[in-house]
Amino acid sequence: MKAPYPINLTPPNEVREAGWQAESRDSDGHLISMHAPFQDDDDEGIVWFVREETVRGNTVTIWPRQPT
């Protein structure tokens, strides 16, 4: 990535603190996408997110749900 936008440089701890539950990053570590908290019964949504991002060569991080 030659000139990443500032959002692409957001560190994982800031992504999680902002309320996102998952993120994907490219091979350089740039933030590519984020996912809002998954629903309790959304196994299909989790699988879809992981599959779509890993097919593109991105790594995926999913954090445990934050207590409400």
Side-chain angles (χ1 to χ4, degrees), residues 48-68:
W48 179 87
F49 181 73
V50 171
R51 182 179 51 237
E52 290 297 311
E53 294 304 321
T54 56
V55 164
R56 293 182 178 107
N58 299 325
T59 59
V60 174
T61 301
I62 300 175
W63 296 285
R65 291 182 70 128
Q66 294 185 4
T68 57

Side-chain angles (χ1 to χ4, degrees), residues 6-58:
I7 186 71
N8 299 106
L9 302 175
T10 306
N13 62 321
E14 288 184 22
V15 172
R16 186 165 189 210
E17 288 171 4
W20 299 97
Q21 189 178 3
E23 69 173 16
S24 69
R25 292 185 179 265
D26 67 12
S27 60
D28 292 328
H30 298 116
L31 181 63
I32 300 300
S33 68
M34 300 176 286
H35 198 288
F38 296 100
Q39 298 299 317
D40 290 336
D41 60 350
D42 194 16
D43 294 343
E44 186 175 310
I46 294 169
V47 169
W48 179 87
F49 181 73
V50 171
R51 182 179 51 237
E52 290 297 311
E53 294 304 321
T54 56
V55 164
R56 293 182 178 107
N58 299 325

